[in-house]
Amino acid sequence: QVQLVESGGDLVQPGGSLRLSCAASGGSFTINTVGWYRQAPGKERELVATITSSEITYYTDSVKDRFTISRDNAKNTVYLQMNSLKPEDTAVYYCNAEVYQRLFGWTSQWGQGTQVTVSS
């Protein structure tokens, strides 16, 4: 099956920026909507942003005007540009994709997560 690998998480000071990547690999596949989620310690996983195959985007209110989701279909990669980071953005960030493969049909795949820590 398709594997999703996130990268780009790091320790950054408040007000700083990071760009997360979610790369898909594993044979022949089609990816529809991709979402970035995050989970802070002791909290439930929450949706941060999504992008459809036609590049329609959605953002949760707390990240609007600070985060930008984009995709490069040629590289099978989705990005999350995060600017003006705040301590409350600290979390493990996961990507999730709707993936079609002929053998499996449509499935929902998750990456392993990447840690983002915003602290001075």
Side-chain angles (χ1 to χ4, degrees):
Q1 282 192 318
V2 170
Q3 288 189 328
L4 302 179
V5 178
E6 300 100 331
S7 60
D10 205 346
L11 170 64
V12 63
Q13 292 187 344
S17 298
L18 285 175
R19 189 177 81 156
L20 305 183
S21 299
C22 172
S25 63
S28 177
F29 54 86
T30 299
I31 295 179
N32 192 6
T33 297
V34 179
W36 281 99
Y37 293 74
R38 65 187 179 187
Q39 187 166 19
K43 295 188 176 182
E44 293 187 354
R45 190 172 297 189
E46 66 168 344
L47 176 63
V48 176
T50 62
I51 185 165
T52 69
S53 57
S54 53
E55 303 199 16
I56 295 172
T57 59
Y58 161 84
Y59 300 93
T60 194
D61 285 346
S62 61
V63 308
K64 281 181 182 176
D65 301 323
R66 297 191 299 123
F67 291 10
T68 303
I69 190 170
S70 62
R71 64 195 292 164
D72 184 337
N73 292 327
K75 295 182 179 180
N76 292 318
T77 301
V78 171
Y79 304 98
L80 185 67
Q81 177 67 44
M82 305 187 296
N83 299 327
S84 302
L85 282 161
K86 305 175 181 180
E88 50 264 43
D89 295 318
T90 296
V92 178
Y93 283 71
Y94 300 88
C95 67
N96 172 266
E98 298 173 352
V99 178
Y100 179 83
Q101 290 183 286
R102 191 162 62 91
L103 182 60
F104 302 107
W106 285 103
T107 60
S108 177
Q109 299 297 318
W110 289 91
Q112 83 291 346
T114 186
Q115 176 70 48
V116 172
T117 303
V118 184
S119 175
S120 54

